[in-house]
Amino acid sequence: MSSREDILQSIRRNTRVRYEKPDYLPLEQEAMTYLDKLARFQEVMTQVGGRAVILQEGEDLNTVIRKLYPEAVRVAACMSEVTCGTGVQCLSCATFHPDDVEKPADLDGTDLAIIRGSIGVCENGAVWICQEVEQRAVYFISEALVILLDRKNLVNNMHEAYKRIDTGDYGYGVFISGPSKTADIEQALVMGAHGARDVTVILL
């Protein structure tokens, strides 16, 4: 049993009063929806400090990534190929797979990581990342992230997103909304404090 399960079991044993799960239906009925999900997602991604790029028909994915990040040398990719609207494209711009390294610290110095997103949320620009590699540190240690997301997997709000999230074989997932950000007591916004400094979502 993992330490996480130990903690959860301890909480369950020591919980004396249990409450029924609240009814979220009224909140779900009032949640924001959007007529043009693509346009809304692009708008919000800009607001959170990232960008959303629509892969056009006939465009080469590797060319698009190289134009966005021409100076990236050490490029990790969590997959070798991706299915686009016009078929399957190989990710030839990557230089290694994250699981080629022995330990997470070996990922330090990664200029760009290309990862797969499962769900995009239009209300806040968050993308659900389901862990699909052993070295999940790649999601946070890379200087920049390219998230590949099927445009058909855009949802309006977090209520819709939570009904569809999956943690996969590794039992881990995370929402990422643009580059990492923090603001100290002087109200100075800093990008990349705890994760990627730059994030691009490419909508396939």
Side-chain angles (χ1 to χ4, degrees):
M1 185 180 295
S2 67
S3 58
R4 174 178 176 272
E5 283 302 316
D6 286 339
I7 294 169
L8 292 175
Q9 289 290 354
S10 179
I11 292 172
R12 293 185 187 107
R13 285 194 303 271
N14 293 283
T15 301
R16 293 181 175 83
V17 181
R18 297 179 183 272
Y19 299 93
E20 292 297 321
K21 180 181 176 181
D23 181 12
Y24 294 122
L25 185 59
L27 290 175
E28 293 175 5
Q29 291 173 338
E30 295 178 6
M32 296 294 295
T33 58
Y34 307 95
L35 292 176
D36 190 339
K37 292 191 183 71
L38 272 176
R40 172 63 183 177
F41 187 79
Q42 286 184 293
E43 177 187 355
V44 175
M45 277 299 298
T46 301
Q47 292 174 0
V48 299
R51 71 177 71 84
V53 176
I54 299 174
L55 187 70
Q56 302 299 325
E57 185 175 352
E59 272 192 310
D60 178 69
L61 182 59
N62 297 283
T63 302
V64 172
I65 293 173
R66 279 300 182 194
K67 284 182 178 178
L68 289 168
Y69 300 96
E71 298 180 0
V73 176
R74 193 173 186 220
V75 180
C78 295
M79 72 294 287
S80 59
E81 59 184 28
V82 62
T83 302
C84 304
T86 55
V88 177
Q89 292 194 29
C90 293
L91 285 173
S92 58
C93 63
T95 59
F96 75 104
H97 189 282
D99 288 345
D100 290 342
V101 304
E102 293 184 7
K103 53 187 184 297
D106 295 333
L107 292 167
D108 190 20
T110 300
D111 299 312
L112 175 67
I114 304 167
I115 64 177
R116 195 190 325 267
S118 303
I119 305 162
V121 187
C122 294
E123 73 172 342
N124 57 14
V127 180
W128 177 253
I129 309 297
C130 177
Q131 183 180 354
E132 59 180 359
V133 293
E134 183 178 351
Q135 302 292 0
R136 69 184 182 204
V138 73
Y139 303 140
F140 313 103
I141 202 170
S142 305
E143 290 294 313
L145 285 178
V146 165
I147 303 174
L148 305 180
L149 177 66
D150 189 332
R151 68 185 77 182
K152 296 176 183 176
N153 291 332
L154 291 176
V155 297
N156 289 294
N157 51 63
M158 293 295 286
H159 296 287
E160 295 179 13
Y162 269 106
K163 291 178 180 179
R164 296 177 53 180
I165 61 174
D166 178 23
T167 55
D169 295 335
Y170 287 95
Y172 176 85
V174 63
F175 278 108
I176 295 178
S177 180
S180 171
K181 299 172 285 291
T182 189
D184 61 14
I185 57 174
E186 295 179 352
Q187 298 181 349
L189 182 64
V190 177
M191 296 289 189
H194 313 292
R197 298 173 184 270
D198 188 280
V199 174
T200 299
V201 177
I202 299 181
L203 295 157
L204 308 175

